[in-house]
Amino acid sequence: MANGQLTYICPECRGIVQPGAAYCMQCGASLQPAGVFPGSGRLTVTRGNLAQPEYVLTGQRMTLGRAWESSLLLPEDDLTTSRRHAEIYFEGGQFIINDLGSMNGTFVNGRRIQSEVLRPGDEIRLGNTLFRFEGGAEPAAARPMAQALGSYELVNTIGTGGMATVYLGRAPNGALVALKVPLPQFANDSEFAARFQREIEIGQQLDHPNIVKVYGVIWDNAVPVMVMEYADGGSLRSWIQPDSNLPYGHLCGVIGQCCNALSAAHNKGVVHRDVKPENILFNSAGLVKITDFGIARLVARKTITAGRILGSPFYMSPEQAQGSPNLDARSDIYSLCVVAYELATGQPPFLGSNFVEVLNKHIREPPVSPAQIRRDMPPGIEQAIMRGLQKDPVQRFASAPELAQCFTYY
């Protein structure tokens, strides 16, 4: 709390935002639907050197740890905490904290726990950092899970993001599908409705083995529900570990399949604009499935979000970070090379204390060669990644197939 005022945190980029703001000025994320307002739960720091004195809890899952991708970063020099230490999420009207297999444990009111329902006033200890949990009204989250949506039986909840909840559904013939349902706060948001409709249209246009299929849309009480292919093998995020020693054959296989998917999209005039590990899924056979064309745009069509930066800052091309409305395939190639860099080394090329700093590095600073982090990197892979990360799009690969050729010999 600063000067007696609650600190508001963007759930997407974790930057400070103004009370009542509709969008985060740093990353462009919509704020109100994620529950960034008083009345949600919050964590107050009572001991420890963290970036903010308070953190608002929302309906989204929050990870706590020393790893850079954590929702709440614990002090890097506190080695009594783990890189992925704990998580807090909202389910069944309650906030729940889970330990993620940390070395030294997660403690609630002095007792080591594996999973615990949080209550107002609870003290949480992670290493040398202490928090006090302050509960409030239910956060803005997904609507309670029904038994069915249209003719689809609902099996469970796959996850909730800032815009929608994805459920696992079973069709009448027994086939499993993913059902993407907008959060209720978007019911009267015309811009979101246009974006959601565009994602459906683009998804139905793209028919490729490495792209999650969009089968169509059903309606539930005037709410559109996107029916999609279910990729049951998790996301690429789970492959990325600090001090990565992922075999180069695996890295090349993943990047090659991503290139195939992006090439199919680019050939249809579609630029993804949000290529990142969380949007690279796998099916049970290990086949890559790129998903989430929610902020994609057709090159020939003027985007409905022109003038605002959308995407994930760690993976943005320099031109995207500058808000250019004229992104093309080379922007996606840059983002995919960021993914390749992170997959090989365990970290993205640019880190920073805030996301404005990260974007500025994308725009101005040359990346450290991944071969300086991972000494056994074949020169061909190092050269391909560095070429893909050139600031000037003209200096990058002109197409995804051209990039893919550099990842076929290992």
Side-chain angles (χ1 to χ4, degrees):
M1 191 165 297
N3 300 322
Q5 298 297 316
L6 184 65
T7 300
Y8 291 74
I9 305 297
C10 171
E12 293 295 326
C13 75
R14 306 189 295 280
I16 297 177
V17 298
Q18 294 299 314
Y23 293 95
C24 173
M25 296 301 293
Q26 294 189 40
C27 72
S30 180
L31 299 176
Q32 224 32 51
V36 187
F37 50 84
S40 299
R42 62 183 184 269
L43 295 179
T44 299
V45 181
T46 57
R47 188 181 75 193
N49 183 25
L50 271 66
Q52 308 298 337
E54 286 194 338
Y55 294 84
V56 173
L57 299 175
T58 75
Q60 300 181 60
R61 191 173 296 262
M62 171 185 277
T63 56
L64 302 89
R66 290 187 294 113
W68 67 267
E69 69 270 15
S70 301
S71 309
L72 194 161
L73 280 170
L74 299 174
E76 182 65 30
D77 59 358
D78 183 3
L79 300 183
T80 62
T81 60
S82 298
R83 297 191 66 80
R84 294 184 73 254
H85 198 108
E87 64 177 1
I88 297 176
Y89 61 97
F90 187 83
E91 184 175 271
Q94 304 173 105
F95 284 101
I96 300 169
I97 184 168
N98 286 341
D99 183 79
L100 296 177
S102 65
M103 181 177 297
N104 293 311
T106 297
F107 293 80
V108 175
N109 299 326
R111 181 171 57 87
R112 186 167 183 167
I113 60 94
Q114 179 59 44
S115 181
E116 184 87 356
V117 174
L118 292 174
R119 295 171 176 81
D122 278 353
E123 182 184 77
I124 301 167
R125 180 168 67 82
L126 307 178
N128 294 319
T129 302
L130 290 179
F131 301 94
R132 183 176 66 253
F133 172 72
E134 299 178 11
E138 285 193 7
R143 61 182 179 179
M145 188 169 132
Q147 296 301 309
L149 285 173
S151 60
Y152 295 92
E153 174 193 355
L154 294 186
V155 179
N156 60 40
T157 303
I158 296 174
T160 298
M163 299 272 186
T165 295
V166 180
Y167 299 100
L168 178 61
R170 181 178 286 109
N173 64 1
L176 294 176
V177 297
L179 302 168
K180 188 172 185 177
V181 184
L183 293 178
Q185 296 85 346
F186 287 103
N188 299 312
D189 187 325
S190 59
E191 180 177 323
F192 173 81
R195 187 186 301 175
F196 195 73
Q197 180 61 35
R198 183 179 56 187
E199 182 179 2
I200 294 171
E201 292 174 357
I202 289 175
Q204 289 182 302
Q205 290 178 32
L206 301 177
D207 185 10
H208 189 274
N210 294 124
I211 296 177
V212 168
K213 288 180 171 56
V214 175
Y215 299 126
V217 62
I218 61 174
W219 293 85
D220 182 66
N221 295 324
V223 175
V225 178
M226 192 186 313
V227 184
M228 305 181 296
E229 176 184 8
Y230 173 49
D232 56 354
S235 78
L236 186 60
R237 172 57 63 197
S238 64
W239 288 37
I240 297 172
Q241 302 295 332
D243 304 318
S244 174
N245 60 353
L246 182 74
Y248 289 108
H250 292 177
L251 183 152
C252 291
V254 169
I255 299 302
Q257 291 185 68
C258 289
C259 285
N260 294 338
L262 292 176
S263 177
H266 297 159
N267 288 340
K268 293 283 189 178
V270 175
V271 180
H272 190 288
R273 301 203 298 170
D274 199 19
V275 176
K276 60 183 179 180
E278 289 80 1
N279 287 339
I280 300 171
L281 308 180
F282 299 90
N283 66 10
S284 56
L287 191 68
V288 165
K289 298 282 184 177
I290 287 187
T291 189
D292 201 350
F293 284 80
I295 65 169
R297 70 178 290 258
L298 294 170
V299 173
R301 181 188 298 177
K302 198 169 186 178
T303 174
I304 60 174
T305 55
R308 187 166 73 244
I309 299 174
L310 292 178
S312 301
F314 285 114
Y315 305 93
M316 281 188 185
S317 68
E319 58 270 29
Q320 187 175 7
Q322 292 174 299
S324 171
N326 301 312
L327 303 181
D328 59 23
R330 295 169 296 183
S331 181
D332 282 347
I333 288 170
Y334 181 98
S335 299
L336 183 58
C337 285
V338 174
V339 172
Y341 188 112
E342 185 180 10
L343 195 56
T345 67
Q347 65 183 53
F350 300 114
L351 297 170
S353 59
N354 59 65
F355 283 76
V356 172
E357 182 180 345
V358 173
L359 294 181
N360 283 333
K361 288 182 177 180
H362 278 296
I363 295 168
R364 296 181 177 88
E365 291 191 11
V368 173
S369 167
Q372 292 186 30
I373 301 172
R374 189 168 174 184
R375 298 291 184 177
D376 66 344
M377 180 171 289
I381 292 180
E382 186 264 348
Q383 292 164 11
I385 291 174
M386 293 298 285
R387 180 178 171 188
L389 294 179
Q390 290 294 308
K391 306 299 183 189
D392 183 356
V394 174
Q395 302 301 318
R396 298 176 207 148
F397 297 95
S399 68
E402 186 181 356
L403 172 62
Q405 290 180 359
C406 297
F407 287 89
T408 56
Y409 302 110
Y410 300 94

